[in-house]
Amino acid sequence: MKLKLDIAPDIVAMMAAEVAAGERAVTAAMREAGTGLKTAWRGQITGAGLGRRLANSIRNQNFPRSGESLDAAALVWSKAPVIVGAHDTGPLIRSKDGFWLAIPLPAAGKSTRGGRITPGEWERRRGLRLRFVYRRTGPSLLVAEGRLNTKGQAVVSRSKTGRGKVTAPIFLLVPQVKLPKRFNLDRDAERALVSVPGLIVANWVDRKFE
């Protein structure tokens, strides 16, 4: 007696096809999760009123960069980690030298380099000297003697009679500042992580019925 066993379909081919389906599903799921997290983080930044430029600092990269893998991963990060991290954690900021933090007031204007102007830059640009004014209650001040232009910024007074000359507060001086927490990036990261198993299953099943 002779026995012949034929296995149809081919088990090896079936397993190879299933592995390939898994690689596609995992890779697609990680791409979706990474893109979704990037979008969520950007939404938090613009929702906090910090602008599209900072929001666009959020980037994502998929691994492998090409092809598909069961070990696929997604990396989401910011190209401005210090700024984004500060608004995410709400840190207590102190002066590096242990003295005062100078907070520019509207009369100070803007820095030519972008961001907040410093007392040293302000004096160089305006040609005025800042004077320290101690206050027992409330923050102390750096003030300047000059006039206010049409933008409300302190500039040199050219009047020989002193007409229009004012003592303008230019900077508030405080020992420390508590930056408000404006983001919750961990919340969106956790949601993205939790979504991954469902995305893998959905992509695996959808592929089977294409």
Side-chain angles (χ1 to χ4, degrees):
M1 179 183 294
K2 292 183 179 180
L3 296 176
K4 183 179 180 182
L5 179 63
D6 289 326
I7 300 177
D10 188 336
I11 294 296
V12 174
M14 287 180 62
M15 292 301 297
E18 200 65 21
V19 169
E23 290 174 338
R24 290 192 297 268
V26 171
T27 303
M30 296 311 300
R31 286 198 183 108
E32 289 182 45
T35 299
L37 181 56
K38 179 183 73 174
T39 301
W41 281 4
R42 286 185 173 184
Q44 283 202 51
I45 293 173
T46 55
L50 294 176
R52 177 57 59 184
R53 184 177 180 181
L54 184 61
N56 287 342
S57 76
I58 302 298
R59 305 296 177 87
N60 77 306
Q61 178 64 58
N62 299 304
F63 300 95
R65 293 176 182 268
S66 62
E68 296 161 335
S69 171
L70 290 173
D71 295 322
L75 174 65
V76 182
W77 79 98
S78 171
K79 295 185 73 175
V82 174
I83 299 174
V84 172
H87 287 290
D88 184 44
T89 59
L92 186 66
I93 302 174
R94 295 185 175 90
S95 172
K96 292 181 180 179
D97 54 18
F99 291 101
W100 302 95
L101 288 173
I103 310 300
L105 295 169
K110 301 291 185 180
S111 171
T112 56
R113 300 187 298 271
R116 292 181 173 178
I117 191 169
T118 65
E121 181 187 356
W122 190 90
E123 288 186 328
R124 289 192 299 272
R125 287 179 55 194
R126 300 298 186 187
L128 292 170
R129 296 292 296 175
L130 292 166
R131 177 166 57 86
F132 175 76
V133 176
Y134 174 74
R135 297 197 298 174
R136 292 179 63 88
T137 59
S140 295
L141 301 169
L142 288 177
V143 304
E145 310 296 330
R147 66 176 179 85
L148 297 179
N149 63 15
T150 56
K151 296 181 180 180
Q153 299 172 6
V155 295
V156 173
S157 174
R158 303 298 182 187
S159 174
K160 294 182 179 179
T161 63
R163 183 180 179 182
K165 193 171 183 179
V166 298
T167 299
I170 309 299
F171 292 91
L172 284 177
L173 297 177
V174 295
Q176 61 189 29
V177 172
K178 182 69 168 68
L179 194 68
K181 179 177 171 63
R182 307 178 77 172
F183 310 148
N184 189 345
L185 302 184
D186 285 345
R187 177 195 64 202
D188 288 337
E190 182 63 26
R191 287 175 179 173
L193 184 62
V194 170
S195 73
V196 169
L199 290 173
I200 293 174
V201 172
N203 280 282
W204 208 321
V205 172
D206 288 347
R207 291 280 181 152
K208 287 186 175 182
F209 290 97
E210 285 181 354

